[in-house]
Amino acid sequence: MLLASAVVVWEWLNEHGRWRPYSPAVSHHIEAVARAGPRAGGSVVLGQADSRLAPYIIDLQSMHQFRQDTGTIRPVRRSYYDPSSAPGKGVVWEWENDSGSWTPYDMDVGITIQRAYEKQHPWVDLSTIGFCYVIDFATMGQINRQTQRKRRVRRRLDMVYPLVSGTLPKSQSWPASPGAAAAPPAPTCACPQCLLVMSVKAAVSAGGLGAATLQPRKAPPVPPAAPKAPMPAPGAKAADGTAAARGSLKVLASQGGRQQAASTPALSSVVSAASPPGPGAGPSAGSGKASRPGMGTLNRSHLQRLAIAQSRVLIASGVPTVPVKNLNGSSPVNPALAGITGILMSAAGLPVCLTRPPKLVLHPPPVSKSEIQSIPGISHTCRKTTKKQAKKGKTPEEVLKKYLQKVRHPPDEDCTICMERLSAPSGYKGPQPAIKPDLVGKLAKCGHIFHLHCLVAMYNNGNKDGSLQCPTCKTIYGVKTGTQPPGKMEYHIIPHALPGHSDCKTIRIIYNIPPGVQGPEHPNPGKSFTARGFPRHCYLPDSEKGRKVLKLLLVAWDRRLIFAIGTSSTTGESDTVIWNEIHHKTEFGSNLTGHGYPDINYLDNVLAELAAQGITEESLAQEKD
């Protein structure tokens, strides 16, 4: 065996089937949580490393990434690369996309480009790894061999990806060039759970309590994974019949049991005193009759102490923790320990029932067109919106006059817009409205007082739709509208129940907004915007309150308040369609991401969010008028 080291790159699978690398900073954060083991909880909040990834969470047990605002789930993986390659030196190769921002190449492509760059080649032909691109180092450009389209590329330095050390077979040392020998057949499973099961079986065969406290065997090293074809660069098409072996060496280090455990369903050992143990109940059925004479003599306290002793190995293995119900209540232990506890309890003649943890269920079972129903009391099943221009003919002064009362003697306090005293002229320094800077007015409903000069300036910087929102208490005057781009909203009933609402069917809402060009009311008029993740499916219970929420959401849609154009808090992409402060449930059959059911407070919460946008039951009457 040879000691070797590797850099770890955490990657996620995008919708095109390509493994995309996380940044070095994010990979360091994920790796730190993975190494921390059960005490870290088994989940990684990516926003702690990069604020743009705040809605993303990685579950290390299932090796999946969850996006909380849309409910999207994607696989992730932990890849190993040669420390002398690009990720080991902190080198990142990127190409310029259509929006003018920079996108990193897939890790294999970046490694190939960096290798040619270090050898001082004038260019590198990526067709050798399956893509019809040439990178010209003299002009720092990417050329499509088929279309001759050119894009700029760049090389930049970042922090180095995390380094790990392990043991490698002599026949599987680091390759000097892409391609590695095919992996030999995998040995017997060496995950901590399987090792401990075998340990307990060996202890039981030996008999007696003293032999039951075992030292776990070291897991044999797992050979490198078989070579994989590289993923294409963004927008690339693989050349027919061309594929090359992966240029990085995939090695499971000595702590590779963590990855094995991540793909193994967690088990919770639930001891029930009411039901008798059936034949072969639990994993003890595989331990053989020889296990019962030795273990059957142990009392409950001995069994518990044995299970806790075995947990030390499991905690060190890094398997995420799950709650397990045992004889004394609930405690956080890891899934492998749950399986061992099941073996021990079953061997002692105690009933054991093994259950799997809940799974993410984003969408309902398939529904035929004949099963879809319209919603009673709501006409149609689809609603479209187009760009609505602000009402013309009224100046800002005329609009504000409806909501204000003049104040002749201003109080001795600050204007919360310009932070100058109300008794002094307005401190607003922008374009000057056609109004005296020392005039003061009071909003009729809430009573807050401001410089009229400041209120006019605030109105001119907003949507200019004839409405006004108090900057202090957010009270809305008039009918507030938004800047949602054109799109379509569909709504109907499907014959399935949401968790927590088994007494009714489900209202499904489907939003669809296409990409387009920003209008005068948007952040960058005339510039194109993207629309990611559409169509978006959302769910409400078909109850009285659920239908009420739907009616108010329809008002919000008509007023263009559901979506807006801005910068995504998840990806950092600018000029894209984003949610606009009215939360929706995008997870149908579970609530693992926080955007699903059951959630007893959701309907009340969304009614409060709608009210904050000026949409209440009174709005329904206004819409009818």
Side-chain angles (χ1 to χ4, degrees):
M1 305 296 289
L2 294 176
L3 288 176
S5 59
V7 287
V8 174
V9 178
W10 285 83
E11 299 170 310
W12 57 279
L13 188 66
N14 70 8
E15 63 273 16
H16 304 296
R18 298 194 297 267
W19 287 99
R20 305 291 296 135
Y22 291 101
S23 69
V26 174
S27 285
H28 273 276
H29 177 58
I30 301 172
E31 185 68 12
V33 175
R35 292 181 185 179
R39 66 178 181 273
S43 296
V44 186
V45 181
L46 299 187
Q48 295 176 352
D50 187 340
S51 59
R52 296 173 300 176
L53 304 182
Y56 288 103
I57 295 176
I58 290 179
D59 175 39
L60 293 175
Q61 183 175 355
S62 64
M63 292 294 280
H64 280 84
Q65 167 194 279
F66 302 105
R67 178 171 172 172
Q68 299 180 77
D69 57 348
T70 63
T72 305
I73 177 173
R74 300 186 187 278
V76 300
R77 72 180 183 183
R78 184 178 187 239
S79 299
Y80 297 80
Y81 294 90
D82 190 330
S84 64
S85 63
K89 297 178 178 179
V91 175
V92 179
W93 284 90
E94 299 174 319
W95 57 280
E96 187 178 31
N97 58 34
D98 293 337
S99 64
S101 57
W102 294 92
T103 303
Y105 283 97
D106 294 350
M107 192 56 66
D108 290 332
V109 179
I111 288 174
T112 301
I113 297 174
Q114 176 63 16
R115 185 182 298 112
Y117 179 86
E118 291 176 347
K119 293 180 179 180
Q120 299 184 349
H121 292 173
W123 48 268
V124 58
D125 187 350
L126 299 182
S127 63
T128 58
I129 57 173
F131 310 114
C132 54
Y133 291 102
V134 172
I135 306 298
D136 185 347
F137 295 122
T139 62
M140 291 300 282
Q142 170 190 279
I143 304 171
N144 188 313
R145 294 169 62 92
Q146 295 179 352
T147 65
Q148 297 302 308
R149 181 177 182 179
K150 297 181 179 180
R151 293 182 184 270
R152 290 196 300 164
V153 300
R154 73 178 184 182
R155 177 183 182 269
R156 66 176 181 86
L157 294 179
D158 204 327
M159 64 189 301
V160 176
Y161 279 89
L163 184 70
V164 296
S165 298
T167 54
L168 298 174
K170 291 184 178 180
S171 60
Q172 294 288 339
S173 57
W174 291 113
S177 59
T188 305
C189 178
C191 73
Q193 182 168 347
C194 292
L195 289 176
L196 283 171
V197 169
M198 291 187 288
S199 298
V200 170
K201 288 181 180 180
V204 170
S205 298
L209 179 59
T213 55
L214 303 172
Q215 295 296 325
R217 297 184 301 176
K218 293 184 178 180
V222 182
K228 297 181 181 178
M231 298 301 172
K237 294 183 179 179
D240 294 338
T242 58
R246 186 177 179 86
S248 61
L249 180 62
K250 299 297 180 106
V251 181
L252 290 177
S254 58
Q255 57 269 64
R258 180 180 307 148
Q259 282 192 327
Q260 178 71 25
S263 62
T264 305
L267 297 176
S268 298
S269 176
V270 183
V271 179
S272 171
S275 58
S284 63
S287 61
K289 295 182 179 180
S291 64
R292 293 197 179 273
M295 302 302 291
T297 60
L298 302 180
N299 59 34
R300 294 188 177 187
S301 61
H302 288 164
L303 290 170
Q304 289 177 325
R305 285 201 299 269
L306 177 56
I308 296 300
Q310 297 293 337
S311 70
R312 296 178 182 175
V313 178
L314 297 162
I315 292 174
S317 71
V319 182
T321 61
V322 295
V324 175
K325 296 180 180 179
N326 54 33
L327 295 175
N328 291 332
S330 297
S331 63
V333 298
N334 49 62
L337 178 57
I340 294 301
T341 304
I343 293 176
L344 300 177
M345 297 304 179
S346 180
L350 298 174
V352 175
C353 176
L354 297 177
T355 60
R356 293 180 181 271
K359 294 182 179 180
L360 183 72
V361 182
L362 291 178
H363 303 293
V367 178
S368 64
K369 289 185 178 181
S370 61
E371 294 177 304
I372 293 177
Q373 302 174 358
S374 58
I375 303 170
I378 300 179
S379 59
H380 309 294
T381 59
C382 177
R383 192 166 296 191
K384 295 182 179 180
T385 58
T386 56
K387 294 182 179 179
K388 295 181 179 179
Q389 300 297 329
K391 296 180 180 179
K392 297 181 180 180
K394 289 187 178 181
T395 65
E397 293 80 2
E398 292 174 329
V399 172
L400 296 179
K401 187 177 181 180
K402 300 186 298 181
Y403 311 131
L404 288 171
Q405 300 171 355
K406 286 187 178 181
V407 177
R408 297 184 181 276
H409 303 287
D412 187 24
E413 57 187 48
D414 291 341
C415 169
T416 57
I417 298 177
C418 69
M419 301 310 295
E420 296 289 345
R421 306 299 286 183
L422 289 169
S423 55
S426 168
Y428 177 70
K429 302 300 182 183
Q432 298 297 308
I435 193 170
K436 294 181 179 181
D438 57 349
L439 293 180
V440 176
K442 179 174 72 173
L443 291 172
K445 290 182 183 179
C446 61
H448 289 111
I449 303 175
F450 307 92
H451 289 116
L452 295 183
H453 195 89
C454 294
L455 285 175
V456 170
M458 184 183 74
Y459 180 83
N460 284 332
N461 289 331
N463 202 22
K464 292 184 282 190
D465 58 355
S467 70
L468 183 71
Q469 189 165 13
C470 174
T472 300
C473 66
K474 307 304 180 184
T475 298
I476 295 174
Y477 295 81
V479 177
K480 178 182 178 181
T481 61
T483 60
Q484 174 182 291
K488 182 172 66 173
M489 175 183 180
E490 299 178 66
Y491 42 92
H492 48 250
I493 296 174
I494 57 175
H496 300 291
L498 292 165
H501 297 277
S502 57
D503 57 338
C504 61
K505 297 179 181 179
T506 297
I507 298 172
R508 179 169 63 184
I509 304 171
I510 304 175
Y511 295 111
N512 204 348
I513 294 180
V517 178
Q518 298 181 53
E521 73 274 30
H522 293 135
N524 297 297
K527 186 176 181 180
S528 61
F529 67 87
T530 59
R532 310 292 187 192
F534 288 95
R536 299 186 184 181
H537 292 230
C538 308
Y539 305 96
L540 291 168
D542 185 28
S543 60
E544 181 179 353
K545 185 178 285 189
R547 293 184 185 183
K548 175 182 175 181
V549 169
L550 175 63
K551 291 178 182 178
L552 296 179
L553 287 176
L554 288 171
V555 175
W557 175 264
D558 290 338
R559 295 183 183 179
R560 304 173 67 194
L561 292 169
I562 301 290
F563 296 97
I565 294 177
T567 300
S568 170
S569 61
T570 58
T571 65
E573 181 182 13
S574 58
D575 300 305
T576 191
V577 180
I578 58 176
W579 291 105
N580 187 38
E581 300 180 0
I582 300 176
H583 285 82
H584 286 63
K585 291 294 189 182
T586 55
E587 187 178 347
F588 174 80
S590 56
N591 195 20
L592 300 184
T593 65
H595 294 275
Y597 294 91
D599 186 344
I600 59 175
N601 297 317
Y602 169 66
L603 295 179
D604 291 328
N605 290 341
V606 74
L607 286 173
E609 291 173 343
L610 287 162
Q613 300 288 343
I615 300 174
T616 61
E617 290 188 77
E618 297 177 358
S619 305
L620 298 176
Q622 293 176 2
E623 293 294 315
K624 291 180 180 179
D625 296 340

